Amino acid sequence: MRGAPVKEGPRINEGIIARDVQLIDEAGENHGTVSKRDALAKAQEAGLDLVEIAVNGEVPVTKIMDFGKYKFQAQKKAAEARKKQKTVEVKEIKLRPNIDTNDYNVKMRSIKKFFEEGDKVKVTLRFRGREMAHQDIGMQLLLQVKEETTAIAKVELEPRLEGRQMIMVLAPR
């Protein structure tokens, strides 16, 4: 057996459960605690809806307003908030232990660009074959990256070895 469908948003008009409500009219004037019936009558008289705006305590706060307009404004506000939200991405930069100086500089420029855009950077250093014997070179390289980015980034995950690769995660300051 299924229950009644749960409605999103505030309760309006006949959907308000409380017997007494605190009433605020369309002009924003507080009328104090009145019966729900009187509040509904005032709302219908004004040609508007009675909307429950706060359910704190024993007496819910209701306001006489155009519910359609209220819903539209709320949707607009939510859309604006979503638009301003920045999703933080994790960009990956792959290095090798014997990287050339120029290649290293290109990678560092990319890392700095990612930080300017507000993204995190995962620096991955891959070892192949006998390079595993020279993990100290890889560690020095990651520490150099860490040192060069200290002004604009903080280390979120210290350099560590995972299988055949060393990983470090940096986040913008």
Side-chain angles (χ1 to χ4, degrees):
M1 185 173 190
R2 297 168 101 182
V6 179
K7 227 176 73 173
E8 289 285 318
R11 292 189 270 254
I12 61 168
N13 299 331
E14 301 299 331
I16 297 170
I17 301 167
R19 198 173 286 160
D20 294 325
V21 295
Q22 184 177 336
L23 180 66
I24 299 170
D25 65 12
E26 62 272 17
E29 196 176 307
N30 193 340
H31 290 278
T33 304
V34 295
S35 73
K36 179 178 119 179
R37 207 170 336 125
D38 292 345
L40 278 169
K42 281 190 178 177
Q44 286 173 343
E45 197 176 289
L48 298 169
D49 299 305
L50 184 66
V51 182
E52 196 174 62
I53 54 174
V55 191
N56 54 347
E58 294 173 28
V59 183
V61 180
T62 58
K63 186 172 183 180
I64 296 174
M65 63 171 81
D66 181 0
F67 185 65
K69 188 176 178 184
Y70 170 77
K71 241 169 91 171
F72 175 72
Q73 294 291 351
Q75 283 174 339
K76 216 162 126 181
K77 202 181 286 183
E80 195 65 35
R82 275 195 304 275
K83 200 184 296 178
K84 289 181 182 172
Q85 216 171 40
K86 167 89 173 85
T87 55
V88 176
E89 291 183 44
V90 179
K91 304 286 187 172
E92 186 174 16
I93 293 287
K94 292 183 180 180
L95 302 174
R96 304 263 304 128
N98 54 354
I99 190 169
D100 188 55
T101 314
N102 196 41
D103 293 338
Y104 175 79
N105 292 335
V106 169
K107 300 277 187 183
M108 287 308 293
R109 276 199 300 273
S110 296
I111 289 173
K112 288 175 181 156
K113 188 181 80 181
F114 292 148
F115 287 140
E116 286 168 11
E117 292 169 4
D119 295 324
K120 291 181 182 182
V121 176
K122 177 181 179 181
V123 183
T124 307
L125 188 96
R126 187 92 188 262
F127 294 102
R128 283 196 198 140
R130 293 188 185 146
E131 290 174 347
M132 281 300 286
H134 303 287
Q135 292 176 15
D136 55 327
I137 296 172
M139 186 56 87
Q140 285 175 349
L141 187 62
L142 286 182
L143 292 175
Q144 183 181 345
V145 170
K146 179 178 164 181
E147 196 175 296
E148 285 186 33
T149 58
T150 48
I152 56 172
K154 60 181 180 280
V155 177
E156 205 167 78
L157 182 74
E158 288 293 331
R160 69 167 193 236
L161 191 67
E162 287 183 6
R164 286 195 155 274
Q165 54 189 14
M166 241 179 226
I167 294 172
M168 174 173 68
V169 178
L170 301 166
R173 284 198 188 271

